[in-house]
């Protein structure tokens, strides 16, 4: 008997459908909406958010949770109740007043951040950042007064993965990556085989070609452009956006492949579990492992470039002389001098993340005053990447993310580390996966990921899922091995 | 003091925002969504519809309504409360189970209809149409068990206009139109000046050109294609869709102008009243008067074709020999043999509507079994228009509308009748409106409509609004005068 469970699941499916509906409104706003539509869209999103919150925090939800927890549940059902309990607790433990004030402050903070960045003046952002910090620490203490507030924040995005584990992995990455990046900096630069300008319409056609090669399911997806690429949707409708820059042909390709990876996760979730945690992605870190897997472990291999280069040449005869080896090397160029996270390459990217993580930790704990962030940032940049920002705009003001929350960056690196661990497992379990890439036969790789990651949805906790899929806990080893081997060979180290 | 009123309005604005959100999801489903997305979209729409219904029917709504009705309200505020009371009453009379089931069924019915139409197989649509019929009759009986369910359905779309009035006008139209159409059928056919095939991409460009000429506000709108053209949105974001047929250049132009007319209504609503009945269109019949006004009283005039023909020739040099007079006459060809409502001309169109109205009346009352619809349809077509469909696809399966509701067709004819009445008023009140069209100076006409129709939102009841704008009750006279004069001249009757 699982009567309360069934009612609880119905309730949650409705909540999920409302959230998914908001997702479509957000996608439309980014991709389709005419500029003038903002006032109406804001009202729509805010109304949806309010009723979704009401549904989640209703007394009836608690009654059903309590009753379901007393029922005799299967393992899958118990996992569903665990997830709903967690969401309910997190939603109800924070007083409404705080939620509202936080929401108001976030909105203001975006304006202050924009101004501060434009004026290159951190002090204009500092007061509201301090207020946000206080409010978020208060919120974390409401959720769990006995734990480090930063851990609570981290678990907003990455439940069931210890921050300790992640920080240990970050230390290992630092130890491995800083010398590797140093060695690369001392090596000869790799020439850009795709130097030039590339018609944007032809780039869009190429992105479609690449998605065809990857066997993207157009019956359940679409490709559009937006200012910031993203994937939006679910197992029935997983849409990709990308962006095009006339001078950056490979940027659009890798961003398309990255978002394709996110889409494979959504499309690999169980159709019959739509709306249930069993049919939802585990976490943003696991999501990122799928995008990074396709972007890097498929899309930045020699074999991929052997496969895809003829198609690139069909769209751009101007690169007809480029060899697969040159394309492969260009796709893997390390530009260690970049100050900006979103422009960073596969290696230096993680130093941007580690830096943010360390700084956040310090100012959330109170060890670093908010006013000291710019100097701490610049020092770390110099230490980790050998470059020092000239301005706050290119330093600690570069990302809008702090207006939305703290502890939201680690997942990018968790994703890369997990992607490498998954690739290593696939190399053990599949016969010649690189050969499959060269042959454009992506089915077995994708099926493996679906079977071992996607189809579990949120059935397992994050650490369980990683063990289930790879046979061991999350570790930096595979990523470091992969990085040292690949870049060692490319840069002749 | 209007405290309860303010709270009531807040509440209603949220409800309206949720409904508008559903509108975006619907637009997306028709225009953007990949085919496979239906199961998730159905859940989203159904969840949204359920929570919207909950918000509307909450005890708190009734409490606020009761309190607001006791407050000292301005005329505008009283109008708002009148509208909310009507919506509340209609919603509370229908059980939630029925609302959700209906919403899910409607979504599924769209797929079934598409398949049935493609396969020319009414029996594939019949089961879900029967289910929809049962559900809608049940719903109408909940709203008012003492009235004819069909009248209740009619008032869903056209509140405050008696079905009796409309049916009387239909009889007058039959009396006037059947002999007129007969005379035209006996006259010499007008040659098609736009015979040939027309590149679809160039047609899309032409539709954009025409919207530019009409001064469509692209900052608050967009143009896309969909199987069935429609307008979706509000005063901030009023989107148009159209469709293109290689062999029908004028079809796309008139459909674009028609939807532009709908958009002018949305865009003419008050920005500051978004979410309130004062910022919402009065009814679908009034909406249709705006689309028909632009489609027929502007877009099918000699003056419009003098204005627009050079642009047509720019896009399609193949028609460089066509004169404005030939274009005008082609735009007004009466093809009495057309089986398809959406392809019907300005006169025979109304016979398609009257046919639907009569058939619906019969199957809603139970006098006609759902399975008998195809035969009844074909018989009436033969009687009213002298043609008999060869297939259900060209007969009773031609429209998607029954998946959305019954009694939704009368408004098209109400719209035409009102459009003619509005044009007659404008001819009295503006100096040389035809000259304005020839000059491409649409501002004064649009401003008049905004001032006299759009800006009132739902401030007045439908019959009040018609009197307010035209000085008299709805009448078939102006439409019949207009039709006899225009087509009499064109066909030399």
């Amino acid at each position: 008997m699982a009567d309360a469970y069934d009612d609880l699941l119905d309730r949650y499916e409705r909540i999920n459908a409302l959230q998914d509906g908001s997702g479509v409104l957000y996608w439309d706003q980014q991709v389709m909406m005419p500029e003038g539509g903002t006032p109406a869209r804001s009202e729509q999103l805010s109304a949806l958010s309010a009723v979704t919150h009401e549904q989640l925090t209703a007394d009836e939800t608690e009654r059903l949770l309590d009753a379901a927890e007393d029922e005799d549940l299967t393992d899958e059902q118990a996992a569903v109740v665990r997830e709903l309990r967690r969401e309910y607790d997190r939603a109800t433990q924070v007083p409404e007043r705080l939620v509202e004030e936080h929401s108001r402050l976030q909105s203001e903070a975006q304006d202050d951040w924009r101004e501060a960045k434009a004026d290159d003046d951190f002090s204009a952002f500092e007061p509201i950042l301090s207020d946000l910090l206080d409010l978020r620490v208060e919120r974390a203490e409401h959720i769990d007064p006995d734990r480090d507030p930063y851990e609570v924040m981290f678990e907003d995005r990455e439940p069931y993965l210890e921050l300790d584990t992640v920080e240990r992995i970050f230390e290992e990455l630092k130890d491995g990556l800083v010398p590797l990046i140093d060695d690369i900096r001392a090596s000869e630069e790799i020439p850009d085989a795709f130097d030039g300008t590339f018609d944007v319409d032809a780039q869009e056609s190429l992105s479609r070609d690449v998605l065809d090669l990857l066997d993207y399911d157009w019956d359940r997806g679409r490709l559009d452009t937006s200012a910031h690429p993203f994937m939006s949707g679910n197992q029935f409708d997983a849409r990709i956006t990308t962006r095009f820059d006339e001078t950056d042909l490979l940027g659009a390709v890798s961003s398309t492949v990255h978002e394709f990876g996110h889409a494979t996760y959504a499309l690999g979730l169980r159709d019959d579990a739509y709306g249930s945690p069993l049919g939802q992605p585990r976490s943003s870190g696991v999501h990122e492992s799928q995008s990074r897997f396709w972007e890097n472990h498929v899309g930045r291999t020699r074999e991929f470039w052997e496969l895809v280069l003829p198609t690139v040449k069909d769209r751009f005869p101007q690169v007809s002389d480029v060899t697969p080896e040159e394309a492969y090397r260009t796709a893997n160029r390390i530009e260690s001098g970049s100050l900006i996270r979103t422009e960073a390459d596969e290696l230096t990217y993680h130093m941007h993340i580690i830096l943010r993580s360390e700084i956040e930790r310090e100012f959330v704990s109170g060890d670093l005053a908010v006013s000291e962030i710019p100097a701490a940032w610049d020092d770390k940049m110099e230490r980790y990447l050998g470059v020092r920002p000239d301005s706050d705009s290119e330093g600690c003001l570069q990302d809008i993310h702090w207006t939305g929350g703290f502890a939201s960056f680690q997942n990018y690196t968790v994703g890369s580390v997990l992607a490498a661990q998954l690739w290593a497992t696939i190399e053990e379990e599949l016969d010649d996966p690189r050969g499959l890439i060269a042959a454009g036969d992506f089915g077995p790789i994708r099926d493996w990921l679906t079977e071992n990651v996607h189809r579990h949805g949120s059935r397992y906790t994050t650490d369980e899922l990683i063990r289930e899929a790879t046979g061991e806990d999350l570790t930096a080893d595979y990523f470091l091995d992969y990085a040292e081997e690949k870049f060692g060979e490319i840069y002749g180290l």
Side-chain angles (χ1 to χ4, degrees), chain A:
Chain A
M1 287 302 287
D3 287 348
Y5 171 82
D6 288 343
D7 288 347
L8 181 66
L9 185 57
D10 280 352
R11 194 167 183 84
Y12 187 75
E13 284 171 348
R14 177 191 280 189
I15 291 167
N16 176 73
L18 295 173
Q19 287 165 335
D20 249 23
S22 294
V24 178
L25 296 191
Y26 178 81
W27 176 88
D28 182 86
Q29 183 167 22
Q30 301 303 314
V31 181
M32 295 293 161
M33 193 186 80
E35 212 180 323
T38 307
R41 185 56 46 88
S42 302
E43 293 300 323
Q44 293 155 12
L45 283 168
S46 136
L48 251 164
S49 156
V51 295
T52 306
H53 185 78
E54 277 177 23
Q55 296 278 326
L56 178 61
T57 59
D59 294 343
E60 177 67 0
T61 308
E62 172 142 61
R63 196 189 66 73
L64 290 171
L65 271 171
D66 290 344
E69 282 162 351
D70 284 341
E71 287 177 340
D72 188 19
L73 302 175
T74 65
D75 285 354
E76 283 204 344
Q77 289 172 332
V80 167
V81 173
R82 177 196 68 215
E83 295 299 318
L84 305 192
R85 164 61 71 188
R86 183 180 176 278
E87 269 196 56
Y88 174 79
D89 284 351
R90 275 181 118 72
T92 50
Q93 280 153 347
V94 184
E96 199 74 21
R97 165 198 65 77
L98 219 143
V99 172
E100 276 169 33
E101 179 152 0
H102 186 230
S103 158
R104 186 185 57 77
L105 217 57
Q106 285 194 126
S107 239
E108 278 173 40
Q110 290 179 12
D111 292 339
D112 287 5
W113 171 79
R114 256 179 221 107
E115 235 170 83
K117 186 177 178 181
D119 298 348
D120 185 25
D121 176 14
F122 182 77
S123 71
F125 184 52
E126 192 192 318
I128 204 154
L129 184 58
S130 291
D131 291 348
L132 278 172
L133 174 61
D134 292 346
L135 223 59
R136 286 173 188 161
V137 169
E138 196 186 336
R139 175 182 174 277
E141 281 163 353
H142 278 290
I143 291 173
D144 193 340
D146 301 325
R147 284 175 61 216
D148 177 349
Y150 193 66
E151 277 180 30
V152 176
M153 294 175 192
F154 174 74
E155 288 180 10
D156 276 345
R157 310 232 176 184
E158 196 52 80
Y160 316 112
L161 189 66
E162 295 285 321
L163 181 57
D164 275 359
T165 307
V166 172
E167 290 184 335
R168 181 180 42 74
I169 285 172
F170 281 16
E171 287 305 315
E172 291 168 21
L173 288 178
K174 250 200 308 199
D175 289 349
L177 292 184
V178 170
L180 178 59
I181 293 168
D182 254 6
D183 288 349
I184 290 172
R185 194 183 296 130
S187 313
E188 203 180 325
E189 247 187 50
I190 292 172
D192 181 359
F194 296 102
D195 197 23
T197 60
F198 300 87
D199 177 71
V200 160
D201 289 341
Q203 284 196 52
E204 194 190 326
S205 300
L206 177 60
S207 275
R208 289 180 188 279
D209 294 340
V210 169
L211 290 171
D212 284 339
L213 284 173
L214 292 167
D215 203 20
Y216 179 55
D217 185 354
W218 294 104
D219 282 346
R220 294 191 180 202
R222 38 181 300 134
L223 175 72
D224 297 279
T225 56
S226 64
H228 299 283
F230 67 109
M231 191 284 293
S232 170
N234 52 60
Q235 45 270 67
F236 295 103
D237 180 357
R239 305 171 183 193
I240 294 169
T241 74
T242 189
R243 65 176 158 200
F244 303 104
D245 171 347
E246 241 190 13
T247 67
D248 184 12
L249 179 61
L250 295 200
V253 172
S254 68
S255 139
T256 299
V257 176
H258 178 98
E259 300 306 332
F260 165 81
H262 281 303
T264 60
Y265 195 0
L267 294 171
L269 297 165
R270 283 165 47 190
D271 279 3
D272 68 328
Y274 175 71
S276 145
L278 302 174
Q280 286 179 320
R282 173 61 278 176
S283 71
S284 62
V286 179
H287 230 309
E288 200 67 17
S289 76
Q290 300 307 293
S291 54
R292 299 283 166 117
F293 182 97
W294 288 92
E295 181 186 356
N296 297 329
H297 295 279
V298 175
R300 287 201 164 93
T301 58
R302 264 196 185 88
E303 293 75 14
F304 183 76
W305 284 98
E306 277 161 18
L307 173 75
V308 88
L309 191 59
T311 309
V312 177
K313 292 179 178 179
D314 283 348
R315 294 289 175 193
F316 296 101
Q318 70 199 88
V319 300
S320 59
D321 291 341
V322 174
T323 65
E325 184 63 20
E326 288 167 341
Y328 166 65
R329 290 167 63 86
T330 301
N332 283 290
R333 287 188 343 146
I334 300 299
E335 290 173 281
S336 50
S338 173
L339 292 162
I340 307 298
R341 177 183 64 84
T342 55
E343 295 168 4
D345 55 70
E346 199 184 342
L347 287 189
T348 57
Y349 190 92
H350 301 293
M351 303 317 300
H352 290 269
I353 300 304
I354 291 168
L355 170 156
R356 280 159 177 75
S357 178
E358 290 174 350
I359 287 180
E360 285 183 347
R361 237 310 185 206
E362 287 181 55
F363 74 70
V364 170
S365 71
D367 290 346
L368 183 76
V370 170
S371 63
E372 295 167 340
I373 291 175
W377 184 288
D378 296 351
D379 289 347
K380 276 183 195 283
M381 275 300 282
E382 194 156 13
R383 206 146 9 106
Y384 297 159
L385 288 168
V387 285
R388 196 178 178 89
D390 282 335
S391 69
D392 294 343
S393 302
E394 291 194 311
C396 64
L397 284 176
Q398 66 181 262
D399 288 314
I400 196 173
H401 287 66
W402 280 343
T403 66
F406 303 134
S408 61
F409 284 108
Q410 289 89 347
N411 305 300
Y412 294 110
T413 292
V414 166
S416 284
V417 165
L418 179 54
Q421 192 166 334
L422 288 167
W423 174 259
T425 313
I426 284 177
E427 277 199 313
E428 301 246 312
E429 297 195 6
L430 289 188
D431 187 31
D432 189 21
R434 290 182 177 274
L436 293 171
I437 296 175
D441 182 12
F442 298 105
I445 295 172
R446 187 159 165 180
D447 289 347
W448 190 94
L449 289 166
T450 296
E451 214 46 58
N452 290 281
V453 180
H454 312 162
R455 295 196 72 75
H456 297 311
S458 296
R459 161 90 163 79
Y460 300 111
T461 63
T462 312
D463 43 11
E464 284 170 357
L465 177 67
I466 294 171
R467 273 197 299 278
E468 190 72 24
T470 70
E472 57 188 317
D473 286 328
L474 189 66
T475 162
D477 295 349
Y478 297 104
F479 180 78
L480 286 170
D481 287 351
Y482 153 78
E484 278 155 16
E485 192 185 320
K486 180 165 87 169
F487 294 102
E489 196 248 15
I490 290 173
Y491 280 92
L493 305 175

